[in-house]
Amino acid sequence: MRPCAIIAEYNPFHKGHAYQVEETRKNGATHVIALMSGNFVQRGAPALFDKYRRAHMAVLGGVDLVLELPSVYALSSAEFFARGSVDILNRLHGISMLSFGSEAGDLGTLSRITEIVSEEPDEYRLLLRKYLDLGQSFPGARSKALEALLPDIPPGVLSSPNNILGVEYLKALRKTASSIEPFTIRRQGAGYHEEDLEKSLPSATGIRKLLLDGGAAEGLLPDSSGEELARLLSSGYSMVTLESCKDLLLYRLTVDGDCLSNLPDASGGLCERMVQHSHLIGTSGVSSFIEAVKTRRYTHTRISRILMQFLLSFDRCDLDSLRRGTPGAVKILESTPRGNEFLASIRKDTEIRLIHNFGREIDEYHALDSKASKVYGLLCRDYDASWDFKGYI
C-alpha cells in the first residue's frame, strides 16, 4: 500500500482537484486520503457548502477517504494550517506520501526556500525585520526577504498562494522529521484568484462567484460531482457566504468587542481598529468593514480569519496551545470501500482515534468543532449540526 494524503478545502470540488487526484494516483498512490477543512475555511469564511456535501462530492470525484481538519487549524495562517495538518498525518502512521499543488511545480525550488524559512539564518531575520518595520504584512515581508536571498528564483514563485502553502508543508515535514514523502503537481488552468471561467481548469474562486451570481457550474466540475452540485442547487440549497455572518458578527463585536484582544492574530492595535469600525458591518456589510480595517500590514485574509475565530469563540480558549497541540481524534466525513481498507490497515498503529461522530467524550478541539457546526447550522438552513453526533446519513 502507498496511501497518499491531500490537504484540501474542496470549496467546491472541481476539475482541478480531480486532476490532482488523477496525477497523485499516477505517481504511485494506492489510496487517496483527503484531510479537508470543515465548515469554515482558511481564507476566513464559511464554506459555500457544508462539509458533508463537499466530502461527498470529493468521493464522487475520486477521493477514497475524507477526514475533517479541526477548525483550530483550518482557521489559521498557512504556518499553523500546515503544521496541524502534517502533525495529524504523521500520527496516523500509515500515510506514505503528501501530494500538493503549486504554481512552481518544482520540489527542488520549494525545498531551497524551505531551508531558509526553517533555519532562519541571521541574514534572513534582519531582512524580514527590515520589511516588517517598513509596514509590510508578514507574507509580503517574507517574500521580499527571500527574493533578496534567492535572486535566481523568479519573484512570483515566492508570493503565489499554493507555493507559500507548499513551503509550509515542506517545513512542517522537515521539523517533524516525517517519513512522509512530499511531491508537488504544477497547478494547471486558472490562477488561485483568477475568475476566468474560459480556462480548461477554472479556479474555485471563479466557480464560487459564478454560483453566487446564479450561474450553473456543472460543466466546470467532474461529471458526478457536478451532478451532485446541480441536485443540491435545484433543491434550493442555501449557500453560505461571509455576508451570511453579518448579524452574528455584529452582535459579538457589539457585546464582546473587548475580547478580540484575546486572539493572538488580533494583536498590535488591530483589535481596537476592528472595534472602532464595527458599525460598518451593520450599515455596509462585512466586506466593506474588512476593506475599511485592512492596511498593508493587516491583510484582508487575516482580518477575515480573525472574524471567523471570534464568531466561533476562539477567544475563550488558549489558541496558541491548541495550535501547537494535537487532537485526540479526527472525524471521518466519508469513506469508500478502498478508504475503509486504509482505515483497517492503520487501526492498530494510529495515535489518533478516527471517529464517525463526536459522541460524549470530546476534547477541546472537538468542542470547538461542535460549536463551529452549530454556528454553521444557524447560517445554513440545509445543515443539521446533530449529524456530528449521530453520524451523517
Side-chain angles (χ1 to χ4, degrees):
M1 290 176 66
R2 290 273 288 165
C4 182
I6 295 174
I7 302 165
E9 292 186 331
Y10 297 150
N11 188 31
F13 187 92
H14 55 66
K15 286 185 176 179
H17 298 132
Y19 172 78
Q20 183 185 9
V21 171
E22 181 182 343
E23 290 298 304
T24 297
R25 292 198 190 280
K26 286 180 181 178
N27 275 276
T30 57
H31 302 71
V32 177
I33 294 90
L35 182 59
M36 187 188 80
S37 298
N39 287 327
F40 293 85
V41 296
Q42 204 250 345
R43 64 190 176 90
L48 202 62
F49 299 92
D50 71 73
K51 59 188 179 184
Y52 292 108
R53 269 58 175 246
R54 286 167 29 245
H56 186 57
M57 283 189 270
V59 164
L60 291 174
V63 174
D64 298 315
L65 170 68
V66 184
L67 304 175
E68 181 177 0
L69 177 67
S71 55
V72 163
Y73 308 126
L75 280 172
S76 289
S77 66
E79 178 184 8
F80 293 115
F81 180 92
R83 179 189 293 182
S85 299
V86 167
D87 188 51
I88 288 171
L89 297 178
N90 284 337
R91 292 171 186 271
L92 288 177
H93 292 300
I95 301 294
S96 300
M97 300 181 286
L98 172 62
S99 166
F100 64 91
S102 67
E103 290 85 0
D106 176 12
L107 198 62
T109 296
L110 298 179
S111 295
R112 288 179 63 197
I113 298 171
T114 301
E115 184 176 357
I116 292 176
V117 297
S118 295
E119 299 298 328
E120 295 190 337
D122 290 342
E123 190 177 3
Y124 169 74
R125 287 174 179 267
L126 289 171
L127 286 167
L128 184 64
R129 175 47 56 193
K130 169 187 171 182
Y131 292 116
L132 286 172
D133 289 343
L134 289 173
Q136 292 280 338
S137 67
F138 180 80
R142 183 171 68 170
S143 179
K144 285 188 174 295
L146 289 168
E147 286 175 22
L149 293 174
L150 299 170
D152 59 314
I153 295 180
V157 172
L158 306 174
S159 58
S160 301
N162 293 114
N163 288 343
I164 292 170
L165 199 49
V167 166
E168 292 298 340
Y169 293 146
L170 295 177
K171 186 171 78 171
L173 291 170
R174 178 186 175 114
K175 286 195 170 184
T176 58
S178 177
S179 63
I180 297 172
E181 174 190 341
F183 72 92
T184 187
I185 298 167
R186 187 183 300 276
R187 185 183 177 98
Q188 304 291 323
Y192 185 84
H193 296 295
E194 262 189 276
E195 296 179 1
D196 182 2
L197 298 175
E198 298 302 317
K199 295 197 173 181
S200 58
L201 298 175
S203 70
T205 301
I207 293 171
R208 286 194 298 271
K209 185 177 186 302
L210 174 69
L211 292 172
L212 292 171
D213 288 342
E218 300 96 285
L220 306 177
L221 278 65
D223 290 344
S224 52
S225 302
E227 290 169 5
E228 174 65 12
L229 177 67
R231 184 191 68 77
L232 281 177
L233 295 178
S234 65
S235 69
Y237 184 93
S238 59
M239 292 180 285
V240 184
T241 69
L242 196 56
E243 296 299 333
S244 305
C245 307
K246 173 180 174 180
D247 293 338
L248 295 178
L249 282 171
L250 185 58
Y251 172 80
R252 272 234 75 191
L253 285 166
T254 301
V255 175
D256 296 321
D258 57 331
C259 296
L260 264 174
S261 59
N262 295 332
L263 293 170
D265 298 342
S267 60
L270 182 54
C271 168
E272 292 78 6
R273 186 174 175 83
M274 292 178 71
V275 172
Q276 179 185 356
H277 289 84
S278 62
H279 65 280
L280 291 175
I281 294 178
T283 58
S284 305
V286 182
S287 295
S288 295
F289 163 81
I290 294 172
E291 286 300 314
V293 173
K294 76 173 187 176
T295 65
R296 288 178 66 191
R297 173 166 289 186
Y298 304 131
T299 63
H300 188 289
T301 301
R302 178 175 173 180
I303 296 166
S304 297
R305 273 201 299 267
I306 291 169
L307 285 175
M308 293 302 98
Q309 292 167 8
F310 195 53
L311 178 68
L312 303 180
S313 299
F314 283 16
D315 54 297
R316 298 178 182 175
C317 65
D318 186 347
L319 189 54
D320 277 337
S321 293
L322 289 174
R323 282 171 169 169
R324 289 176 169 81
T326 307
V330 168
K331 195 172 190 305
I332 299 168
L333 295 176
E334 182 145 356
S335 184
T336 67
R338 189 184 292 269
N340 291 337
E341 183 180 53
F342 167 75
L343 291 172
S345 73
I346 65 170
R347 185 164 290 123
K348 293 181 180 179
D349 298 320
T350 181
E351 293 180 54
I352 295 180
R353 290 168 54 212
L354 295 165
I355 57 176
H356 288 279
N357 54 64
F358 288 157
R360 293 182 181 179
E361 295 182 9
I362 57 176
D363 57 22
E364 194 166 4
Y365 294 90
H366 295 98
L368 289 172
D369 288 341
S370 173
K371 189 175 295 183
S373 192
K374 291 172 183 175
V375 170
Y376 196 87
L378 298 175
L379 305 172
C380 178
R381 65 172 179 270
D382 301 293
Y383 179 78
D384 185 348
S386 70
W387 292 337
D388 277 333
F389 292 89
K390 63 185 180 184
Y392 177 64
I393 300 174

